[in-house]
Amino acid sequence: MVRTILIAVLVIGVAGTAFWGYQEHQEKNAILINAENNYQRAFHELTYQMDLLHDKIGTTLAMNSKRSLSPALADVWRLTSQAHSDVGQLPLTLLPFNKTEEFLSNIGDFSYRVAVRDLDDKPLTDKEYSSLETLYKQSADIQKELRRVQHLVIKNNLRWMDVEMALASGKENADNTIIDGFKTVEKNVTGYDEASFGSTTFVNSQKRDENFKKLKGEQISKKEAVAILRKYSGIDESKDAKVASSGKGSDFKFYSVSIGNGNTEASMDVTQKGGYPIWYINNREVKESNISLNKAAEKATQFLKENKFEKLELFESVQYDKMGVFTYVTVLDGVRIYPDAIKIKVALDNGQIIGFAAEEYLRNNHDREIAEPGMALEDAKKETNPNLKVMEERLAIIVNDLNEEVLCYEFLGMLGNDTYRIFINANTGEEEKVEKLKNAEPIYEEVV
């Protein structure tokens, strides 16, 4: 009898394990199928967008009126944005594809700049027409290669999950039709120089990217990178750290470092030149608030001074639960430099820095000569909404929609119950940007 019961229990146990394993297998397959479907969708949409992009660039070459050309170039800008988004959804993070993405960004910037320009006053130049012709030919090369890859994907029923596994395992050099095809696209695009985009390219954006290469200081080792993270996190040397160098497709070199002690996990990206932290996060639990937001701001300001971040001023402070988040911007001769921004997160239990983001600052910071404004403050104020009740006013540098740094008069004021920040170009009087500041979130209590 006992033997029969044991056999029955064993059979039930084996059957239960088999059923559990089958369910796990089914769930895993469902996840893989969903991921594969998303990859396939993004790839075929990318190929379709490149078809449309090539045709749309071609149609702009036959146009001559502002009424037709401006909307067409706006469509080119829209299509490049969609193609860029599709590229971002493919498992290509470990495959150098930055030149192709940069090429799409260049087309988008070129078309946007021309589309928003007054073409009656400043029609397309011969150089810009030449640029469009070049872009038309280059987009045809990308279109042709993507079409070839698409044909082989459909014909041979190729899977993107195989691409992801090959890249993750470092076997991207093996025979893989999709990887080889994208490498061909990248190789072709690498041959395209900046001259292809004429005089209206996004030079300012490229210069900001190059600022990473102009950082001051000596090259640091992996050991020194780990030491910087230990200094920020307070995790001692008894705990092992993981450190890896940036990939070969990166525009600049950095180390990715992570360390944990069981109670907290800390991670950081730090530049190899000079040892500047790009971002840092300490994932520890903050259980209670013991210090005020003002005291936390003092801790953040002190932290910046200790780490030699100079000429920065607290611009914004917000409290999220038991953490304070502070934004600092560079101030030169009383002028706020908004592109040079640093964010710091402070734990309100003990004032520890648990988050830090300086990529904007490192990407944009450079020596600037701030010219005198071309118009008076009072004249600029007349360009704002007459119903705006101005409370603060100052000079500031922002990045406008054309990716250019411009000197503006900044006006902070009230319109009804809402607060706005308005930037008026200090030379032309044009309204460059309007921002609505967030109001305090209402508290919704449960209705009994």
Side-chain angles (χ1 to χ4, degrees):
M1 180 69 179
V2 174
R3 183 167 175 269
T4 303
I5 294 174
L6 288 175
I7 292 175
V9 171
L10 183 61
V11 169
I12 293 172
V14 171
T17 302
F19 179 72
W20 175 82
Y22 174 76
Q23 278 192 316
E24 287 288 301
H25 178 72
Q26 290 293 96
E27 290 176 3
K28 181 179 179 181
N29 279 345
I31 293 172
L32 293 176
I33 290 171
N34 184 59
E36 178 66 27
N37 289 341
N38 286 332
Y39 290 151
Q40 292 285 356
R41 175 192 52 76
F43 171 64
H44 292 296
E45 283 186 0
L46 171 63
T47 306
Y48 176 65
Q49 298 298 346
M50 286 307 304
D51 285 345
L52 294 180
L53 181 61
H54 176 249
D55 292 342
K56 184 59 69 173
I57 294 175
T59 59
T60 62
L61 293 171
M63 295 177 179
N64 192 40
S65 69
K66 174 187 175 182
R67 181 176 297 178
S68 301
L69 190 56
S70 290
L73 287 169
D75 264 350
V76 170
W77 171 71
R78 176 182 58 81
L79 290 169
T80 55
S81 298
Q82 291 175 347
H84 205 278
S85 174
D86 291 329
V87 170
Q89 296 177 55
L90 295 174
L92 301 173
T93 53
L94 299 176
L95 178 69
F97 205 61
N98 55 307
K99 289 296 181 182
T100 303
E101 292 183 277
E102 183 180 304
F103 176 70
L104 290 171
S105 295
N106 284 354
I107 296 177
D109 271 32
F110 175 88
S111 56
Y112 181 81
R113 282 171 176 267
V114 178
V116 299
R117 195 170 78 199
D118 187 346
L119 294 177
D120 287 337
D121 184 46
K122 295 180 180 179
L124 282 180
T125 64
D126 291 340
K127 190 172 183 179
E128 287 170 335
Y129 268 115
S130 177
S131 296
L132 278 174
E133 290 175 348
T134 304
L135 293 176
Y136 182 61
K137 294 175 183 176
Q138 294 168 348
S139 61
D141 291 340
I142 297 177
Q143 177 196 36
K144 180 180 178 181
E145 186 58 33
L146 287 177
R147 277 296 185 189
R148 187 187 70 82
V149 176
Q150 185 183 50
H151 168 72
L152 293 173
V153 166
I154 295 173
K155 178 182 177 181
N156 300 321
N157 196 27
L158 302 178
R159 300 194 318 153
W160 275 93
M161 292 303 297
D162 295 334
V163 174
E164 188 172 41
M165 292 177 65
L167 292 173
S169 62
K171 297 179 180 179
E172 66 270 21
N173 292 325
D175 183 22
N176 186 298
T177 301
I178 296 178
I179 293 178
D180 292 343
F182 274 81
K183 282 185 175 180
T184 301
V185 172
E186 182 74 356
K187 183 179 179 180
N188 290 339
V189 173
T190 303
Y192 307 156
D193 55 30
E194 296 172 18
S196 303
F197 299 92
S199 59
T200 58
T201 56
F202 65 121
V203 175
N204 289 322
S205 177
Q206 289 185 331
K207 284 184 178 179
R208 287 196 293 273
D209 289 342
E210 290 170 0
N211 289 338
F212 276 108
K213 303 173 185 177
K214 296 179 181 178
L215 296 176
K216 298 177 182 178
E218 301 296 324
Q219 294 286 329
I220 67 168
S221 64
K222 289 184 177 181
K223 185 176 180 180
E224 289 172 313
V226 173
I228 293 172
L229 177 56
R230 292 192 191 279
K231 173 187 173 184
Y232 273 59
S233 64
I235 299 176
D236 60 41
E237 296 185 6
S238 64
K239 305 300 178 183
D240 293 333
K242 298 178 182 177
V243 57
S245 300
S246 54
K248 56 185 177 181
S250 301
D251 292 332
F252 61 96
K253 302 298 182 183
F254 61 91
Y255 293 119
S256 292
V257 193
S258 60
I259 190 172
N261 63 3
N263 297 320
T264 180
E265 295 289 333
S267 303
M268 172 186 286
D269 277 359
V270 54
T271 62
Q272 293 185 19
K273 184 176 181 181
Y276 295 92
I278 302 169
W279 63 265
Y280 156 73
I281 189 166
N282 189 331
N283 287 314
R284 74 168 179 84
E285 185 181 2
V286 182
K287 295 183 178 180
E288 55 187 359
S289 297
N290 297 321
I291 64 174
S292 66
L293 197 62
N294 286 338
K295 188 66 177 179
E298 292 175 7
K299 294 280 188 181
T301 302
Q302 180 184 351
F303 170 83
L304 288 174
K305 291 179 180 177
E306 290 174 351
N307 289 278
K308 299 180 180 178
F309 287 99
E310 301 173 343
K311 299 179 181 178
L312 289 162
E313 180 181 279
L314 179 60
F315 156 61
E316 188 177 56
S317 60
V318 183
Q319 181 172 341
Y320 294 101
D321 197 15
K322 305 174 185 67
M323 295 172 288
V325 179
F326 306 94
T327 303
Y328 289 79
V329 295
T330 298
V331 177
L332 297 176
D333 299 325
V335 181
R336 280 185 179 173
I337 316 294
Y338 281 106
D340 295 6
I342 291 178
K343 289 185 180 293
I344 299 179
K345 184 187 292 185
V346 180
L348 297 181
D349 54 357
N350 60 5
Q352 182 186 19
I353 307 299
I354 57 174
F356 177 80
E359 183 172 356
E360 284 186 62
Y361 178 87
L362 296 174
R363 189 182 296 276
N364 294 292
N365 184 254
H366 63 276
D367 293 331
R368 294 179 176 89
E369 291 185 7
I370 302 176
E372 290 294 321
M375 64 189 305
L377 171 66
E378 290 303 318
D379 291 333
K381 188 183 294 186
K382 293 176 183 177
E383 301 298 327
T384 64
N385 189 310
N387 297 318
L388 183 75
K389 184 179 179 181
V390 176
M391 299 180 294
E392 294 181 22
E393 51 198 29
R394 65 174 61 84
L395 280 170
I397 288 178
I398 65 169
V399 175
N400 65 10
D401 291 339
L402 297 180
N403 225 0
E404 299 170 331
E405 287 191 358
V406 289
L407 179 65
C408 294
Y409 283 109
E410 174 190 349
F411 298 99
L412 184 69
M414 297 286 295
L415 193 61
N417 296 321
D418 296 315
T419 306
Y420 294 86
R421 183 177 287 114
I422 299 173
F423 296 93
I424 303 296
N425 191 303
N427 294 307
T428 66
E430 293 182 9
E431 192 175 67
E432 292 284 356
K433 187 177 292 188
V434 176
E435 297 176 352
K436 180 181 179 295
L437 303 189
K438 291 183 179 180
N439 297 324
E441 288 290 335
I443 298 175
Y444 298 98
E445 296 184 355
E446 183 179 355
V447 179
V448 180

